[in-house]
Structure formats: structure tokens, C-alpha cells
Amino acid sequence: MNNLINDFFQQQLVEWDLAGKNYRGLQKALKRYIQLSDHVRVGVQFNPERIYSSAAKVDEKSIKERKCFLCRHHLPEQQRWIEYMDKYLVLVNPFPIFPRHLTIPDKEHTDQRLSGRFRDMLTLARELDGFIVFYNGPKCGASAPDHFHFQAGNKGFMPLEDDFEHLPKSLMGNDGGLNKWRMDNYFRTCMVLESQDQEKLAGYLEDLLLRMKTIDAQDPEPMLNVLVSWKHDQWRVFVFPRKKHRPAQYYLEGDQRILMSPASVDLGGMLITPREEDFHKMDANSIKGIFEQVCYDEKLFYQTIAE
């Protein structure tokens, strides 16, 4: 699967002018790192092409008035796809964050809802073992909340992957081969699950969604971002529960505004700024404040949901 995707990727960069241009431009993207504490470091990337996602209007009226850019009959003429599991299309994302960035929408136009799709997500991560597969909830960074999709980016890009290996963490329990970890002093609530048992892992994640919904029942799906990788012959699932779509800074004006709509990659430790002024403006305090605003309260999550 990895070889097939890599060949497909190279072909699209040659044949599709927009994709080729944007991936070449990504190589020149500004990037810097900021220490949040002695142990925790995050990156900031200036990526102007991501303005389409960060500033996307996702209210019901705006969605109804635009064509769905993930439906097959609305894709650009030069965009190709690979069919997967007779259910999804694998697409090259033309507005990349990663050097290899995929979007994986459902073939049908159906809402962004993760329930019932954990097994698919886990299978994707195992077969695309050079990538980390992620899901943005409809109010957690998804710019197309009306059309279900996963995304995937090449491993080694987000600090999250190394953070789990090297930063302090606590083992919350082991349930028959399912390890549940908590990232300590991480500035955003992050639970990590590890297992070789796909059914047990998918079942636990479905149950977690139900428990989260008892706290936040106003939306069809609890707010969350999920990232999955396959490593050391087992799955590693990162769960970021959310309480807010965008921080207050997003709606301010003038110098106080920071145009950031946090999604999986931002919580994974690489914050994407589509405006250069925000790239230079970001510091440890502003990043901690953004995480605190949009992420679920750690104490509440672990005491009432992830017990």
C-alpha cells in the first residue's frame, strides 16, 4: 500500500499543476519551535495556503451554499484517486501541511461522524504504516463537516510521535492487552491507547464516544480529534477531547487576532498559521492559552469519562 501511494503521489505532483506548485512551496515554509516547559516543545509553521481551511466557514448556511469539494463529481479535472475498501477515495491533498498529505473521503456524501468507522481507521493506519492517520471532528478543524473524511500525513512531522516515547506519562490501566496512558503536564488533555487487538480497541473507542456524549449531549458527536499510527506491531491511538471549536483570539480584531482553528495537527504539536503575522506573534503563553480554551478539562475527562 505504501509503495502504491508513493507512486500515485509522485504522479499527481507531475500531472496536477496546483498540487505540484503547493508541495514545492511547502519546502520553503517557515518553521520554528517554542518551549512550553522544560520538557514540552511545539512547532509553528507559516503556511499561507492553509487559509482555506483555517478560515473556512462551517456554519450550516455557508455549507449549503457551496459545492462539496470532496464529492467525486466536484473534484478538479487533474485530481485522481485510488479506491480503498470499496468505500473510500485516497486523494492527494492539494493544500498540504505534510510533505506527504492525503485526504481520504467516503465515496458517498455523508456527515463527518466517527462512530462505526474506528475499524476502518485502524486498518488504514496499519496498511499505511509510513503515515499517521487522523480525524478532525465536525467542530474540531474539519473544513468539510458535511462529507466524511480521514486524513493522513507522513510520520516524523509532528512532535506528538516522539513526545509519547520520551515525555513523562502515566499508565492508567491495562485491560487484557489494551494499555491506557495519560500524557503528564502536556498542556492539552491527551489519552493514548496501545493494543494489538483491533476489536478490543475499536470497542473501547466506541464506548468512549458514548461516555463523552453523556457530558456533552448537544451535538450529534462529542468534540474530539483522533490520531492513529501503527508501530512496533501494534496500534497507538491518540485521543484529544475538545470543548471548543476555535479560541477567542480567532474572533478578535487588529493585533490581538490570531487566525487559528486548532485541529489534529495543531494538537499534535505543529501549529499551523496561515498568516505571517501570527507566525511571529505566537509564543508560549498564547499557545498554552489556546490549548486551554479548546481542550477538554483534564481532571473532568479522567475522573468521569476515561476511568
Side-chain angles (χ1 to χ4, degrees):
M1 186 67 176
N2 283 301
N3 291 335
L4 175 64
I5 292 296
N6 287 332
D7 290 344
F8 168 66
F9 211 99
Q10 293 303 323
Q11 183 180 12
Q12 278 284 265
L13 296 193
V14 171
E15 296 178 350
W16 188 8
D17 297 338
L18 176 65
K21 170 180 172 292
N22 286 342
Y23 279 90
R24 288 192 298 272
L26 186 64
Q27 298 174 13
K28 302 175 184 178
L30 296 176
K31 189 189 298 182
R32 64 191 182 96
Y33 289 88
I34 298 172
Q35 290 291 143
L36 301 187
S37 69
D38 290 342
H39 300 289
V40 180
R41 185 179 78 152
V42 298
V44 183
Q45 181 195 83
F46 168 48
N47 189 333
E49 294 301 328
R50 296 299 298 181
I51 190 72
Y52 303 103
S53 178
S54 296
K57 294 182 178 181
V58 292
D59 59 281
E60 188 175 348
K61 181 175 182 293
S62 297
I63 289 173
K64 286 182 177 179
E65 290 177 350
R66 60 109 168 107
K67 293 180 179 179
C68 177
F69 52 85
L70 293 181
C71 283
R72 185 162 21 186
H73 50 283
H74 292 152
L75 295 178
E77 183 178 349
Q78 292 180 304
Q79 187 164 24
R80 303 289 181 261
W81 58 80
I82 295 173
E83 293 199 18
Y84 181 74
M85 296 174 65
D86 198 32
K87 187 188 299 186
Y88 300 99
L89 304 178
V90 179
L91 308 172
V92 170
N93 191 317
F95 302 108
I97 296 172
F98 301 80
R100 292 284 185 273
H101 192 164
L102 304 173
T103 303
I104 306 166
D106 195 292
K107 291 167 67 175
E108 304 298 327
H109 186 79
T110 185
D111 286 346
Q112 186 80 335
R113 300 281 184 272
L114 188 54
S115 180
R117 295 184 185 263
F118 284 115
R119 289 171 183 81
D120 294 349
M121 192 176 190
L122 295 169
T123 299
L124 262 172
R126 185 181 59 207
E127 296 192 0
L128 289 174
D129 60 359
F131 291 77
I132 186 164
V133 178
F134 57 98
Y135 169 84
N136 294 325
K139 292 185 179 179
C140 302
S143 53
D146 56 329
H147 193 132
F148 183 86
H149 61 287
F150 296 115
Q151 294 184 67
N154 56 276
K155 289 180 177 177
F157 179 79
M158 289 182 289
L160 176 70
E161 300 168 66
D162 283 337
D163 287 349
F164 181 76
E165 301 282 356
H166 302 113
L167 295 187
K169 55 187 177 289
S170 300
L171 181 62
M172 298 162 54
N174 179 297
D175 179 14
L178 171 60
N179 288 323
K180 294 179 280 187
W181 298 90
R182 178 179 68 207
M183 298 293 290
D184 296 329
N185 302 314
Y186 201 49
F187 300 101
R188 62 273 199 200
T189 302
C190 178
M191 182 171 69
V192 188
L193 309 171
E194 286 187 306
S195 182
Q196 295 179 328
D197 189 328
Q198 185 173 17
E199 291 303 310
K200 181 180 285 290
L201 197 48
Y204 180 83
L205 289 163
E206 290 287 355
D207 184 58
L208 182 65
L209 276 183
L210 291 175
R211 279 182 277 157
M212 288 180 66
K213 194 167 177 56
T214 64
I215 302 296
D216 181 12
Q218 62 180 348
D219 292 315
E221 175 176 278
M223 296 177 67
L224 80 169
N225 299 94
V226 181
L227 304 93
V228 182
S229 69
W230 176 258
K231 191 168 185 176
H232 305 315
D233 294 324
Q234 66 179 347
W235 285 281
R236 185 174 290 170
V237 182
F238 302 88
V239 180
F240 290 95
R242 296 281 296 271
K243 66 179 179 183
K244 195 173 183 180
H245 183 191
R246 288 163 170 164
Q249 292 93 323
Y250 184 93
Y251 304 100
L252 298 178
E253 297 182 359
D255 291 341
Q256 291 185 303
R257 190 181 195 200
I258 297 178
L259 189 66
M260 174 166 289
S261 186
S264 292
V265 177
D266 307 277
L267 297 180
M270 185 58 68
L271 291 89
I272 309 302
T273 59
R275 304 191 311 169
E276 188 170 4
E277 58 263 42
D278 296 334
F279 173 78
H280 295 293
K281 192 186 306 178
M282 298 290 281
D283 59 20
N285 286 332
S286 62
I287 293 170
K288 290 177 187 178
I290 287 171
F291 284 161
E292 184 177 3
Q293 289 181 66
V294 303
C295 292
Y296 211 97
D297 179 80
E298 184 171 354
K299 184 177 180 180
L300 177 63
F301 180 71
Y302 289 120
Q303 286 186 351
T304 64
I305 294 175
E307 56 191 3

